[in-house]
Amino acid sequence: MYPLIYFVRHGQTAWNSEGRLQGQAENDITETGRRQADRNGEKLRELIADPAAFDFVASPMRRTRETMERARVAMGLPAEGYRTDPRLVEVSFGDWQGFTFLELEAAEPGITAARTKDKWNFVPPGEGAESYQMLLDRIRPWLDAVTRPTVCVTHGGVMRTIFRVLEDTAPKRAATLEIFQDRVLRLENDRLDWL
């Protein structure tokens, strides 16, 4: 059984609002994203009576670090005081990063058909690109190594793999799950709940 983990997706970025494939490209959160991070920190403050008992870990990307720091401040904690783990970075979309699906299709009609057919296992073109299954293989060792209550700020793709691992969510469904930026996902007693 896994310990208690609160997962938070980073706040909204401009690329999120534009429907661009962000992946491992660096982007900052917007004003909306900052409000989401603050709100999630306030929620965590309600939920966690003893923050000293928790590990705080984030993806090392700018959008997750700012989200973590804002959430910690909203909890009444210093912004610093967390660590990063490179395994928590978002899935890489390779050469597709920065584009919308409409732009990809306009440049090369039919290019996204294979992804639509099998989104979970599809690997975009480009060096370092990953499928969701490859991301799961990267995330699983991190998840299995968690030994104490944890607050984790990460990405939508990472959280989809968490549903796949913990709830045996079918790959097709896991790949399309809506992952909220203004809610906290609680893992408790090996069960996931949006708060």
Side-chain angles (χ1 to χ4, degrees), residues 51-135:
F54 278 72
D55 186 20
F56 287 79
V57 61
S59 157
M61 303 196 79
R62 282 198 320 257
R63 60 190 182 267
T64 45
R65 285 186 287 116
E66 182 176 356
T67 299
M68 173 65 90
E69 290 165 12
R70 292 189 73 90
R72 284 181 57 86
V73 168
M75 293 176 71
L77 301 172
E80 62 281 348
Y82 68 97
R83 62 188 181 86
T84 61
D85 191 312
R87 293 174 293 184
L88 293 170
V89 299
E90 181 63 292
V91 66
S92 172
F93 289 111
D95 292 345
W96 287 11
Q97 287 176 170
F99 294 95
T100 67
F101 286 113
L102 286 175
E103 290 169 345
L104 291 168
E105 282 293 321
E108 189 175 335
I111 193 171
T112 63
R115 184 176 191 267
T116 302
K117 185 175 180 183
D118 186 6
K119 187 176 177 182
W120 187 262
N121 292 298
F122 177 77
V123 181
E127 186 177 341
E130 298 173 294
S131 67
Y132 280 114
Q133 182 58 50
M134 293 164 72
L135 175 62

Side-chain angles (χ1 to χ4, degrees), residues 15-195:
W15 280 16
N16 288 146
S17 63
E18 295 167 10
R20 295 191 179 281
L21 294 167
Q22 195 157 222
Q24 295 180 4
E26 286 284 16
N27 286 290
D28 295 315
I29 61 176
T30 62
E31 282 307 312
T32 296
R34 291 181 183 100
R35 285 192 298 274
Q36 292 168 336
D38 294 345
R39 180 259 178 218
N40 286 331
E42 290 162 7
K43 184 66 175 177
L44 290 169
R45 186 176 192 160
E46 293 172 16
L47 294 165
I48 298 174
D50 181 12
F54 278 72
D55 186 20
F56 287 79
V57 61
S59 157
M61 303 196 79
R62 282 198 320 257
R63 60 190 182 267
T64 45
R65 285 186 287 116
E66 182 176 356
T67 299
M68 173 65 90
E69 290 165 12
R70 292 189 73 90
R72 284 181 57 86
V73 168
M75 293 176 71
L77 301 172
E80 62 281 348
Y82 68 97
R83 62 188 181 86
T84 61
D85 191 312
R87 293 174 293 184
L88 293 170
V89 299
E90 181 63 292
V91 66
S92 172
F93 289 111
D95 292 345
W96 287 11
Q97 287 176 170
F99 294 95
T100 67
F101 286 113
L102 286 175
E103 290 169 345
L104 291 168
E105 282 293 321
E108 189 175 335
I111 193 171
T112 63
R115 184 176 191 267
T116 302
K117 185 175 180 183
D118 186 6
K119 187 176 177 182
W120 187 262
N121 292 298
F122 177 77
V123 181
E127 186 177 341
E130 298 173 294
S131 67
Y132 280 114
Q133 182 58 50
M134 293 164 72
L135 175 62
L136 186 150
D137 294 341
R138 170 161 53 85
I139 294 301
R140 186 96 193 229
W142 173 83
L143 183 63
D144 289 345
V146 177
T147 58
R148 59 187 282 216
T150 298
V151 172
C152 174
V153 178
T154 189
H155 305 270
V158 170
M159 292 169 75
R160 287 184 182 99
T161 70
I162 299 298
F163 276 95
R164 177 84 181 102
V165 168
L166 290 163
E167 297 200 341
D168 199 25
T169 304
K172 185 173 185 175
R173 185 171 188 295
T176 59
L177 283 172
E178 181 176 7
I179 304 296
F180 302 101
Q181 291 174 299
D182 60 350
R183 292 173 69 186
V184 173
L185 180 66
R186 178 178 59 203
L187 167 60
E188 188 172 29
N189 300 320
D190 287 355
R191 181 178 166 181
L192 293 167
D193 294 293
W194 285 107
L195 306 174

